[in-house]
Amino acid sequence: YFVLGYAHVFRREQDKAIEAAKKAIALAPSYADAYMLLAFIYLHVGRVDESFPLIEQGMRLNPNYPAEYLGILGQAKYWQGDLEQAVELTQGTLLRNPTYILMQVTLVAALSASGRVDEAEWQAEELLSLNPDFTVEQWIAERPFTNQGQAERLASDLHRAGLE
């Protein structure tokens, strides 16, 4: 059900993704990654506030959580508008995994949105050094957004940092 949830979310079948992730949690309530998956899905459908208890539960269940957990929390903070926390968390994620493109993108967006455009432009250069073919349009198209406002906000923040 966990894998099925991931498959559904990237097909933009969000209701089925949520159902599968909830089923994974019901079948294995101590499986931390299932909580992270459901939080990730909620972030992409605009249900940001509902993601926080799931992230916290996943971190409690797996205190040695991978960088992705911090990253999902950083994304949640970005979408919530807590930009300083988003920057701090995504930087922490990148310390653990410097080539994590999703966090590179989130950090650029959070810095840009917080008015730290010089830092955002520098981070955008870092992102491009890891992924020279990166484009905002392609990135947005590949993400499982169902909330158009989120996609537009992210694109605006990335463009402000000089990404095409």
Side-chain angles (χ1 to χ4, degrees):
Y1 286 100
F2 173 79
V3 173
L4 188 59
Y6 257 113
H8 283 306
V9 75
F10 282 100
R11 288 185 190 151
R12 290 182 173 78
E13 299 169 343
Q14 309 310 21
D15 290 339
K16 290 179 181 179
I18 290 168
E19 182 181 320
K22 285 182 175 181
K23 183 74 170 178
I25 290 169
L27 290 171
S30 62
Y31 184 44
D33 287 353
Y35 292 90
M36 288 296 101
L37 173 60
L38 187 54
F40 177 81
I41 296 165
Y42 281 169
L43 289 179
H44 286 83
V45 298
R47 294 168 62 176
V48 175
D49 290 341
E50 294 176 68
S51 70
F52 287 103
L54 296 164
I55 296 167
E56 291 165 1
Q57 180 65 10
M59 290 175 150
R60 274 192 299 275
L61 290 169
N62 182 0
N64 297 314
Y65 50 84
E68 182 179 13
Y69 285 38
L70 275 181
I72 291 172
L73 183 56
Q75 283 187 293
K77 292 293 186 175
Y78 167 75
W79 292 118
Q80 184 186 50
D82 187 348
L83 300 174
E84 291 308 311
Q85 275 293 105
V87 167
E88 184 178 320
L89 289 162
T90 54
Q91 286 174 331
T93 303
L94 289 169
L95 285 174
R96 292 171 79 177
N97 184 352
T99 61
Y100 191 179
I101 298 298
L102 176 57
M103 286 307 99
Q104 292 281 345
V105 171
T106 304
L107 181 55
V108 170
L111 287 167
S112 176
S114 66
R116 297 162 62 179
V117 179
D118 289 343
E119 291 175 76
E121 289 172 348
W122 182 88
Q123 193 64 48
E125 290 299 319
E126 287 291 303
L127 167 62
L128 291 172
S129 74
L130 294 169
N131 186 350
D133 297 326
F134 179 91
T135 68
V136 173
E137 182 179 333
Q138 180 182 356
W139 182 261
I140 298 294
E142 291 173 355
R143 306 311 305 159
F145 291 114
T146 57
N147 181 315
Q148 188 59 32
Q150 281 183 298
E152 290 170 2
R153 176 179 160 200
L154 180 61
S156 175
D157 289 338
L158 295 175
H159 285 304
R160 190 179 310 110
L163 291 170
E164 297 291 325

